[in-house]
Amino acid sequence: DILELVRFCKSKNFKTNIATNGYLIDKEMSKKIADSGLDSLIVSLDSLNEEAHDYLRGVKGVYQKAMDAIGYLDKFCNGLYKGICCVIYEANLDDVVKLVEWVDRDERLNSIYFMAAMQPNNTPLDVEWRKKDEYRFLWPSDPCKACSVVDEIIRLKKNGSKITNQICQLEAFKLYYQYPDRFVKNTKCNMDSAVHISSCGDIF
């Protein structure tokens, strides 16, 4: 159904981009993606450590599925823009720079994009979510360490890395990790200008 939506959007000359954990992308799905005309596909990958990535994503085996997906997309989707999206969490702070270096070496991949840790989707809004025990593995416990990791990401970007974040955005990440209360969102969501399919399959 999603690929039918892609085909419809392409018929209207819209750019089409999908973000995915890669779990369902096998040989046959890759061929369907190629036939759909999709412009770009971003695979979520938070660590090259299989155990860490599976833990963060909450699904055992999703790391290997993501790696397999990258291989299938490279083989069957000629011309498709392929990137990685990584969220900077407490649990993967030591893995982030290695991930950048891997993407930079891998000719199959066009980019890596970073997101800052946020309250998990489909949970009740709570401005103090990061202080709860159940989320301690997500929110960096040492803001200075988080900022030093982001500083290294900025250094790599300035040296020609495939990182697509703007430097001003990465600098904002540092402020966010140091002073999260200043970054509580109080503006309207952009759901009226995008299609979002949640992890539960709900479409908004």
Side-chain angles (χ1 to χ4, degrees):
D1 291 343
I2 293 173
L3 294 181
E4 284 301 319
L5 181 59
V6 168
R7 291 187 186 94
F8 171 77
C9 290
K10 293 300 289 185
S11 74
K12 303 296 183 183
N13 294 319
F14 296 147
K15 281 281 189 184
T16 52
N17 314 288
I18 288 179
T20 175
N21 63 12
Y23 200 83
L24 299 178
I25 299 177
D26 55 13
K27 178 179 177 180
E28 293 308 312
M29 179 60 74
S30 296
K31 291 179 178 178
K32 290 178 182 178
I33 289 170
D35 291 340
S36 74
L38 184 71
D39 292 295
S40 69
L41 190 145
I42 307 300
V43 177
S44 295
L45 189 63
D46 295 322
S47 175
L48 291 175
N49 179 311
E50 182 172 359
E51 186 177 337
H53 179 72
D54 286 359
Y55 173 71
L56 283 165
R57 292 289 155 174
V59 180
K60 188 163 181 60
V62 73
Y63 171 86
Q64 191 55 56
K65 290 284 190 178
M67 289 298 188
D68 291 345
I70 292 167
Y72 286 126
L73 293 167
D74 180 63
K75 185 172 183 180
F76 297 107
C77 299
N78 186 38
L80 177 70
Y81 182 101
K82 297 174 288 295
I84 296 296
C85 181
C86 173
V87 185
I88 302 172
Y89 294 124
E90 165 71 15
N92 68 344
L93 273 181
D94 293 328
D95 304 333
V96 168
V97 172
K98 296 173 191 170
L99 188 59
V100 175
E101 293 169 344
W102 174 72
V103 170
D104 284 342
R105 291 191 305 269
D106 196 320
E107 295 181 356
R108 300 172 301 174
L109 298 169
N110 299 99
S111 67
I112 180 167
Y113 180 81
F114 287 99
M115 296 176 65
M118 297 177 287
Q119 182 177 347
N121 287 334
N122 305 312
T123 57
L125 181 63
D126 182 355
V127 296
E128 298 199 339
W129 68 272
R130 66 191 180 282
K131 298 178 182 177
K132 303 235 170 122
D133 286 342
E134 62 190 303
Y135 298 131
R136 290 202 185 278
F137 70 103
L138 298 178
W139 187 258
S141 59
D142 182 351
C144 291
K145 181 177 179 180
C147 289
S148 69
V149 169
V150 176
D151 278 334
E152 182 61 14
I153 292 170
I154 291 171
R155 186 190 71 78
L156 290 167
K157 179 174 177 65
K158 288 179 177 178
N159 287 339
S161 174
K162 296 178 185 177
I163 299 162
T164 55
N165 301 75
Q166 294 183 19
I167 290 175
C168 60
Q169 181 188 28
L170 295 169
E171 293 286 357
F173 283 7
K174 291 165 56 181
L175 290 173
Y176 172 58
Y177 285 126
Q178 292 176 88
Y179 312 106
D181 291 334
R182 296 184 190 176
F183 285 81
V184 173
K185 184 173 182 180
N186 59 7
T187 57
K188 184 176 179 289
C189 181
N190 69 346
M191 281 299 184
D192 61 346
S193 61
V195 175
H196 172 68
I197 301 173
S198 79
S199 56
C200 303
D202 297 323
I203 299 177
F204 303 90

